[in-house]
Amino acid sequence: MTGIQAHFHLDWPGFTLDVNLELPARGVTALFGPSGCGKTTLLRCIAGLERAPQGHLRINGDVWQSDKHWLPTHKRPLGYVFQEASLFPHLTVMGNLRYGMRRISQAQQVSLEQAVDLLGIAHLLERKPAGLSGGERQRVAIARALLTSPRLLLMDEPLAALDLARKNEFMPYLERLHGELDIPVIYVTHAPDEVARLADHIVVMEAGRAIASGPLTETLARLDLPIRLGEDAGVVLDAVVAERDAAWHLARVTFAGGSLWVRDGGQAIGAAVRIRILARDVSIALAHVTGTSIQNCLSATVGEMANDSHPALSLTRLNIGPSPLLARLTRRSAVELGLAPGKPVWVQIKAVALIG
């Protein structure tokens, strides 16, 4: 049996963790939710750092925990990256990396050279941790985790201690890991932008329970989740760069159902990219609109509607072919337009973020 099956029940004073999850064996699964919802506790249960008496964990067919079996943390083939890098201060970067390699008990999945290249740390190998920036320390910590030859990589908010500039520097390295490695990653975060850029699958958590779990695009487009993303509500779509307008520094990207013009990010024609479209940047019309500054106007069908966090607003799910879209508009506008499931409309998209 492939994939990750995780079932944990843990009772603490004032908090209960109760999850039953089926997660994919590839890609990045984001555990998303507010502080205190149980994301890190779940991650620690998967790592064996917290022992949930009522727990079952199976990784690609191998049982790590059951009623009759318990595999201690040091015998679980996993890598764990904490919020703080936790490097050995007396060792150089190379010394820290070689320490990670000491745990290898099976065929090495990631070589030292590959880890150094993926994380861009070749120029840091002779330094001590005290001479590194926060982002550099985290890159070394991830490289060290990869060199343990893990079958599962756990990351607990690895960007939480970084300022915005360091986060922006760090993200491309995480995207490279996502694109080039086959090791499944479970990634804890409360930041919607990290989810949008990295995740393939998302688990939405609230008060110790997983209230939703599924592929990123479909789950973000759901209207029935108790947790909203506020101003960040929207969808993420997989797309391909199809055309470039060099004169205006624009690129046309195609996705299942249509195409959009976006700011040119420099990706090659044919490159796979992600686009993020926020609900606040989508407007709805009953006819094709011309004579406007908005470059993207696509035909769509109304899927479903729901009240938003403010009583004046509503969220509408739209379908552009097989691809979902969210639009935030006032309830008055929705009534005046006569919006209802199945109604054909035109959507104008004011801004599209190309996120790699």
Side-chain angles (χ1 to χ4, degrees), residues 31 38-45 50 80 83 156-157 188:
L31 302 183
K39 305 185 299 295
T40 294
T41 302
L42 172 56
L43 205 70
R44 289 176 60 85
C45 286
E50 297 289 349
Y80 200 126
Q83 292 184 21
D156 188 2
E157 302 209 55
V188 167

Side-chain angles (χ1 to χ4, degrees), residues 71-86:
L71 193 66
T73 300
H74 69 277
K75 292 187 176 181
R76 299 187 183 194
L78 59 82
Y80 200 126
V81 180
F82 297 87
Q83 292 184 21
E84 297 293 338
S86 302

Side-chain angles (χ1 to χ4, degrees), residues 20-24 26-32 185 195 198-205 210-222 224-225 236 274 317:
N20 191 358
L21 294 169
E22 296 271 346
L23 304 177
R26 298 186 62 183
V28 176
T29 294
L31 302 183
F32 176 79
V185 178
V195 172
L198 298 173
D200 304 293
H201 189 97
I202 184 172
V203 176
V204 182
M205 295 194 63
I211 61 173
S213 177
L216 179 67
T217 296
E218 284 301 313
T219 307
L220 288 183
R222 286 178 56 177
D224 60 337
L225 296 182
V236 175
R274 282 185 168 189
R317 174 175 166 140

Side-chain angles (χ1 to χ4, degrees), residues 203-252:
V203 176
V204 182
M205 295 194 63
E206 182 181 72
R209 301 184 62 191
I211 61 173
S213 177
L216 179 67
T217 296
E218 284 301 313
T219 307
L220 288 183
R222 286 178 56 177
L223 299 183
D224 60 337
L225 296 182
I227 293 179
R228 302 286 194 207
L229 298 184
E231 289 300 303
D232 290 313
V235 299
V236 175
L237 302 176
D238 292 317
V240 174
V241 178
E243 182 183 353
R244 176 169 286 110
D245 187 338
W248 299 106
H249 305 285
L250 296 171
R252 185 173 64 86

Side-chain angles (χ1 to χ4, degrees), residues 121-183:
I121 57 175
H123 63 296
L124 306 176
L125 296 179
E126 300 307 316
R127 295 191 196 174
K128 295 282 187 71
L132 304 178
S133 70
E136 289 169 341
R137 285 194 294 272
Q138 282 295 62
R139 281 152 54 192
V140 173
I142 293 173
R144 184 177 64 180
L146 291 176
L147 289 172
T148 66
S149 204
R151 293 178 55 200
L152 177 64
L153 184 60
L154 308 178
M155 294 190 178
D156 188 2
E157 302 209 55
L159 307 186
L162 305 182
D163 60 31
L164 182 60
R166 299 292 83 76
K167 283 184 180 181
N168 290 335
E169 290 176 5
F170 193 93
M171 285 296 282
Y173 296 102
L174 290 180
E175 289 170 329
R176 285 194 68 187
L177 296 181
H178 173 270
E180 297 184 30
L181 295 182
D182 252 352
I183 302 168

Side-chain angles (χ1 to χ4, degrees), residues 273-353:
V273 294
R274 282 185 168 189
I275 53 176
R276 187 181 185 196
I277 305 170
L278 298 180
R280 64 171 182 251
D281 291 327
V282 178
S283 62
I284 300 175
L286 298 181
H288 189 278
V289 179
T290 59
T292 173
S293 63
I294 299 174
Q295 293 284 303
N296 296 303
C297 188
L298 301 172
S299 61
T301 303
V302 176
E304 57 182 315
M305 304 172 67
N307 292 332
D308 205 352
S309 54
H310 191 281
L313 302 175
S314 70
L315 276 175
T316 299
R317 174 175 166 140
L318 303 149
N319 298 314
I320 303 177
S323 296
L325 201 65
L326 291 183
R328 171 174 280 128
L329 62 160
T330 65
R331 293 172 61 195
R332 182 170 68 181
S333 293
V335 171
E336 290 175 347
L337 291 171
L339 298 185
K343 187 180 183 71
V345 294
W346 289 87
V347 294
Q348 297 183 101
I349 302 173
K350 292 175 276 188
V352 181

